[in-house]
């Protein structure tokens, strides 16, 4: 029995061993057969993990870069400090002389009020010191600015400007209402050639930042009344005259002491100056004063600095403005179906010259009909019928222009309103690179168009001037010590450095084409692409040494981004933020947005 049991156990053991062998062979065979599939799965998982890590790194890098650019370049953190009370004794016992009393000059004067015991605006147009220049309603003025060619033309504002004005003038909303200027959420009806780019209302949780709608005359008249007409800033005065020169200190050529003025009665006067600010606009008189006095001259280029005579660069997009301002009755206004904020239609193709059509309400009971066109020849649209013909000829992207535009033109024509026509041939856009200029006086600065002018079609001019005033405020806060007798020796240099950081992105200037790849990447990261977009227009005369091919990749990407924005909230938010001044230079290159742009390009 024991033998039988032993035999059975042996048989069972052998059977078990054979079964185990068969099991092992089966597993080995199965693994061998499935090895390619398992290997593919592992490879796919590794690839997905790698791509995930790469994308995560890109997102993290993008966020860190955006945070840096927001703090360094946007101007928004500095805006938050506007109007803050200074410590006792921090005002300079001297005079800030502001040369030019337009928008840039008025904003600079308001800032200087906080830092100087005396502020003087020198303004050539004598009537700007009268009540007519500070009327409640700008459209009722009897005079017209002779040095501001677009004074009666279409005028646009970015929402960032409204945000900043609230800080400088706490009662600005009340003053807007008093002046007949409407304030609305900035839902500008921007159209990519007839196809609406929706405002990112959802992205802003239903509360878009606000902006205001008014003419250039309306805004300037309001600012002048706020700064000079209410007695709120008693240390700011205005003199009718023209600055014709500057004088250095007798014992220190690095610092100015006085400005020479030719007053309205042709009498000459010299005025002591602790700070001289050039706000003469596209006249850029500061360059002449500096050159005549011997500044901006050097025999060698130290630390990359250049002579003043080489500091100015320019391009000409040959832009023509035609504006019809229609004074309508309340009854006609009620019939019209136009949005509260103007509708902007940008033509789809620029191969024959850029064209733009705008229809909207401005301050008072007035409607603005506008045609903008870049062309080698003069173009004028001086009647409602001419405007209708102009817009009927638009080449649209996808959707036709809405019927209400033509219906509104019909209603306007039938009502026979009083119409003011304005034609402007915009001057070339120029940039004086003061931040690169050698041997400037330490108490001379410039801001607004005196430094750089940009394509007016994007409505950035007043924002740029405002950011210059913001830089002035921030540098004065940082540099002016309590009980100081004068500005520090590096004040001008520091101002132009910060001004470059805040406003160079409006221009996009890169005359050096040596490091093409680096320059291309940098230029693609800029907040606004006026330079790049102007180069997409055949009539543009480029900066000397450049060609119209510069930035072609950027133009392609921006066009695809605009197309995506017609149906994608993230893209629409980026386009809106760009148009309103709230973006940073890398917003268009959010990694997910880039992927969507290229995917949308493939499937369309």
């Amino acid at each position: 029995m024991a033998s039988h049991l032993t035999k059975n156990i042996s048989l069972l053991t052998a059977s078990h061993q054979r079964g185990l062998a068969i099991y092992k062979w089966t597993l080995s065979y199965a693994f061998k057969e499935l090895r390619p599939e398992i290997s593919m799965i592992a490879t796919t998982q590794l690839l997905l993990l790698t791509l995930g890590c790469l994308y995560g790194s890109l997102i993290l890098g993008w966020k860190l870069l955006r945070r840096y650019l927001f703090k360094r370049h946007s101007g928004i953190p500095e805006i938050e400090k506007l109007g803050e009370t200074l410590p006792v004794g921090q005002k300079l016992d001297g005079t800030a002389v502001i040369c030019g009393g337009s928008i840039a000059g008025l904003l600079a004067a308001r800032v200087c009020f906080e830092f100087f015991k005396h502020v003087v605006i020198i303004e050539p147009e004598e009537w700007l010191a009268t009540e007519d220049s500070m009327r409640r309603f700008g459209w009722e003025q009897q005079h017209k600015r002779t040095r501001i060619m677009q004074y009666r033309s279409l005028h646009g504002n970015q929402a960032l400007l409204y945000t900043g004005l609230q800080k400088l003038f706490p009662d600005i909303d009340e003053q807007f209402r008093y002046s007949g200027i409407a304030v609305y959420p900035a839902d500008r009806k921007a159209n990519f050639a007839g196809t609406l780019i929706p405002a990112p209302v959802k992205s802003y949780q239903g509360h878009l930042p606000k902006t205001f709608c008014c003419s250039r005359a309306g805004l300037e008249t309001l600012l002048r009344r706020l700064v000079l007409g209410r007695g709120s800033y008693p240390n700011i005065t205005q003199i009718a005259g023209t600055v014709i020169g500057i004088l250095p200190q007798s014992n220190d050529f690095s610092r100015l002491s006085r400005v020479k003025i030719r007053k309205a009665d042709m009498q000459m006067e010299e005025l002591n100056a602790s700070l001289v600010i050039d706000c003469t606009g596209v006249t850029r008189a500061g360059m002449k004063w500096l050159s005549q006095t011997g500044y901006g001259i050097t025999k060698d280029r130290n630390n990359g600095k250049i002579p003043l005579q080489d500091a100015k660069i320019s391009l000409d997009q040959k832009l023509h403005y035609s504006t019809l301002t229609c004074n309508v009755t309340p009854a006609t206004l009620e019939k019209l179906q136009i949005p509260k904020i103007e509708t902007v239609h940008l033509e789809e193709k620029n191969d024959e010259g850029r064209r733009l059509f705008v229809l909207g309400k401005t301050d008072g009971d007035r409607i603005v009909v506008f045609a903008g066109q870049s062309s080698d020849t003069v173009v004028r649209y001086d009647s409602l019928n001419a405007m209708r013909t102009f817009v009927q000829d638009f080449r649209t992207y996808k959707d036709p222009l809405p019927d209400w535009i033509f219906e509104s033109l019909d209603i306007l024509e039938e009502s026979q309103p009083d119409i003011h026509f304005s034609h402007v041939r915009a001057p070339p856009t120029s940039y004086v690179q003061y931040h690169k200029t050698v041997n400037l006086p330490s108490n001379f600065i410039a801001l607004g168009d005196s430094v750089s002018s940009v394509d007016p079609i994007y409505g950035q001019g007043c924002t740029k001037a405002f950011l210059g005033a913001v830089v002035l405020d921030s540098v004065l806060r940082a540099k002016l010590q309590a009980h100081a007798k004068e500005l520090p020796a590096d004040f001008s240099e520091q101002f132009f450095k910060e001004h470059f950081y805040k406003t160079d992105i409006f221009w996009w200037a890169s005359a050096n084409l040596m490091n093409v790849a680096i320059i291309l990447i940098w230029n693609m990261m800029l907040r606004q692409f006026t330079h790049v977009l102007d180069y997409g227009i055949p009539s543009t005369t480029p900066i000397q040494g450049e060609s119209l091919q510069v930035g072609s990749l950027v133009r392609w990407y921006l066009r695809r981004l605009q197309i995506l924005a017609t149906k994608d909230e993230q893209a629409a938010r980026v386009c809106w933020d760009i148009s309103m001044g709230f973006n940073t230079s890398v917003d268009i290159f959010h990694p997910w947005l880039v992927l969507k742009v290229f995917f949308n390009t493939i499937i369309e």
Side-chain angles (χ1 to χ4, degrees):
M1 183 177 207
S3 174
H4 181 70
L5 181 60
T6 302
K7 184 179 180 181
N8 287 338
I9 291 174
S10 298
L11 290 172
L12 287 172
T13 301
S15 177
H16 173 72
Q17 289 175 342
R18 285 194 300 271
L20 184 61
I22 293 171
Y23 174 72
K24 288 181 177 179
W25 179 86
T26 303
L27 282 180
S28 175
Y29 179 80
F31 183 77
K32 182 179 180 181
E33 290 296 318
L34 294 175
R35 185 179 299 169
E37 285 77 5
I38 294 174
S39 178
M40 183 177 295
I41 292 172
T43 302
T44 302
Q45 290 175 337
L46 180 61
L47 178 61
L48 290 176
L49 179 62
T50 302
L51 289 176
C53 291
L54 177 61
Y55 181 76
S57 299
L58 288 173
I59 289 290
L60 178 61
W62 181 89
K63 287 184 176 180
L64 291 174
L65 181 58
R66 189 186 191 279
R67 179 181 298 179
Y68 167 78
L69 293 174
F70 179 81
K71 292 180 178 179
R72 195 73 185 87
H73 296 280
S74 73
I76 295 175
E78 290 83 357
I79 288 174
E80 292 300 316
K81 297 179 181 179
L82 285 175
E84 288 184 0
T85 303
L86 293 174
V88 176
Q90 194 159 340
K91 279 193 176 184
L92 271 178
D93 188 14
T95 302
V97 178
I98 298 167
C99 312
S102 191
I103 288 176
L106 292 168
L107 293 173
R110 169 64 185 88
V111 168
C112 287
F113 164 80
E114 304 289 349
F115 300 93
F116 294 86
K117 289 189 176 180
H118 306 284
V119 181
V120 177
I121 300 173
I122 312 298
E123 168 54 50
E125 294 192 50
E126 191 173 1
W127 75 273
L128 293 177
T130 69
E131 287 296 322
D132 193 36
S133 72
M134 295 177 275
R135 285 180 179 269
R136 176 181 179 182
F137 301 125
W139 61 88
E140 293 182 350
Q141 284 178 338
Q142 300 301 309
H143 295 80
K144 176 186 175 182
R145 290 296 305 266
T146 59
R147 294 170 178 254
I148 308 295
M149 65 174 61
Q150 72 273 29
Y151 197 64
R152 298 289 175 86
S153 297
L154 175 74
H155 185 73
N157 301 290
Q158 295 181 307
L160 180 63
L161 177 63
Y162 171 76
T163 301
L165 290 177
Q166 285 183 305
K167 300 293 291 185
L168 273 183
F169 307 101
D171 64 338
I172 192 69
D173 285 327
E174 178 184 342
Q175 294 301 318
F176 275 135
R177 287 191 294 270
Y178 179 76
S179 301
I181 299 172
V183 176
Y184 296 114
D187 187 6
R188 179 175 292 160
K189 304 301 181 183
N191 284 259
F192 184 44
T195 303
L196 181 67
I197 300 177
V201 178
K202 181 179 178 181
S203 180
Y204 275 99
Q205 288 80 48
H207 300 285
L208 283 175
K210 294 181 179 180
T211 190
F212 56 94
C213 299
C214 75
S215 60
R216 166 61 186 259
L219 176 58
E220 187 171 324
T221 301
L222 170 61
L223 291 178
R224 185 167 289 106
R225 188 172 68 249
L226 294 179
V227 173
L228 294 169
R230 300 191 301 171
S232 301
Y233 311 105
N235 64 335
I236 302 177
T237 57
Q238 181 168 296
I239 296 175
T242 303
V243 176
I244 59 174
I246 52 179
L247 297 170
Q249 289 187 3
S250 58
N251 59 346
D252 184 2
F253 188 75
S254 70
R255 192 179 297 272
L256 301 177
S257 64
R258 289 165 293 165
V259 297
K260 294 189 290 186
I261 304 169
R262 183 176 60 241
K263 302 181 73 173
D265 59 5
M266 304 306 292
Q267 297 296 311
M268 299 298 182
E269 180 179 335
E270 292 183 1
L271 184 67
N272 290 333
S274 299
L275 173 65
V276 178
I277 307 178
D278 178 13
C279 295
T280 58
V282 295
T283 302
R284 300 184 181 91
M287 291 188 70
K288 180 176 67 174
W289 309 330
L290 292 168
S291 296
Q292 290 175 341
T293 313
Y295 291 104
I297 300 173
T298 181
K299 294 181 180 179
D300 53 10
R301 300 194 177 198
N302 297 318
N303 299 320
K305 295 290 187 177
I306 60 177
L308 182 60
Q309 64 181 10
D310 298 335
K312 181 181 175 182
I313 55 177
S314 64
L315 62 95
D316 188 0
Q317 68 276 29
K318 301 181 180 125
L319 177 63
H320 296 263
Y321 265 23
S322 291
T323 303
L324 300 179
T325 303
C326 308
N327 297 301
V328 300
T329 64
T332 300
L333 197 61
E334 189 174 348
K335 291 180 183 178
L336 294 169
Q337 305 175 36
I338 61 174
K340 293 180 178 179
I341 294 182
E342 70 267 15
T343 295
V344 181
H345 293 270
L346 183 63
E347 195 172 38
E348 141 73 348
K349 295 181 179 179
N350 293 332
D351 55 343
E352 296 179 7
R354 175 180 52 194
R355 297 195 297 182
L356 179 74
F357 176 76
V358 179
L359 176 61
K361 185 180 179 299
T362 185
D363 42 350
D365 292 338
R366 301 189 301 160
I367 301 298
V368 169
V369 187
F370 169 85
Q373 182 168 345
S374 295
S375 173
D376 287 314
T377 58
V378 176
V379 287
R380 297 164 60 95
Y381 301 93
D382 55 4
S383 68
L384 289 171
N385 186 56
M387 289 289 186
R388 183 186 294 105
T389 302
F390 171 77
V391 76
Q392 284 173 340
D393 189 45
F394 255 45
R395 294 164 294 180
T396 59
Y397 163 61
K398 184 183 294 183
D399 302 324
L401 298 182
D403 291 338
W404 68 263
I405 289 179
F406 301 100
E407 293 169 359
S408 296
L409 292 175
D410 291 340
I411 292 171
L412 285 172
E413 202 164 38
E414 291 170 4
S415 66
Q416 297 183 333
D418 177 35
I419 298 177
H420 178 272
F421 169 66
S422 170
H423 175 265
V424 171
R425 199 294 199 184
T429 55
S430 301
Y431 186 12
V432 183
Q433 302 169 95
Y434 279 118
H435 62 287
K436 292 183 179 181
T437 303
V438 71
N439 187 29
L440 295 178
S442 61
N443 57 342
F444 169 88
I445 64 171
L447 53 88
D449 286 347
S450 297
V451 179
S452 66
S453 55
V454 293
D455 192 331
I457 218 163
Y458 301 105
Q460 300 169 308
C462 288
T463 300
K464 177 171 55 64
F466 176 77
L467 286 175
V470 169
V471 170
L472 175 60
D473 180 271
S474 64
V475 176
L476 282 169
R477 288 182 187 278
K479 291 290 184 178
L480 192 59
Q481 302 298 319
H483 307 292
K485 299 297 183 181
E486 59 186 12
L487 294 172
D490 64 341
F491 178 79
S492 176
E493 181 179 2
Q494 188 63 32
F495 172 85
F496 284 123
K497 177 182 176 181
E498 294 296 323
H499 191 272
F500 165 78
Y501 287 141
K502 299 297 186 295
T503 64
D504 180 74
I505 42 185
F506 289 114
W507 164 265
W508 181 59
S510 62
N512 178 11
L513 299 179
M514 294 293 291
N515 300 310
V516 177
I518 295 175
I519 290 171
L520 179 60
I521 292 172
W522 173 248
N523 288 334
M524 289 177 68
M525 291 167 54
L526 302 178
R527 177 190 340 191
Q528 190 57 287
F529 303 89
T530 57
H531 185 160
V532 176
L533 295 179
D534 287 341
Y535 276 19
I537 303 164
S539 61
T540 297
T541 301
I543 295 173
Q544 186 176 3
E546 294 188 349
S547 76
L548 296 184
Q549 295 304 311
V550 171
S552 57
L553 179 59
V554 179
R555 288 192 292 276
W556 175 87
Y557 181 82
L558 288 176
R559 179 176 178 273
R560 299 310 308 182
L561 178 65
Q562 286 180 311
I563 291 172
L564 179 63
T566 63
K567 56 186 177 183
D568 180 87
E569 176 79 8
Q570 182 187 9
R573 168 67 183 264
V574 169
C575 289
W576 188 92
D577 284 348
I578 288 173
S579 68
M580 291 298 163
F582 288 116
N583 66 307
T584 70
S585 54
V586 294
D587 286 6
I588 66 170
F589 291 109
H590 186 286
W592 182 237
L593 183 60
V594 172
L595 290 174
K596 287 195 289 187
V597 167
F598 282 101
F599 179 75
N600 188 65
T601 301
I602 293 171
I603 65 174
E604 277 203 349

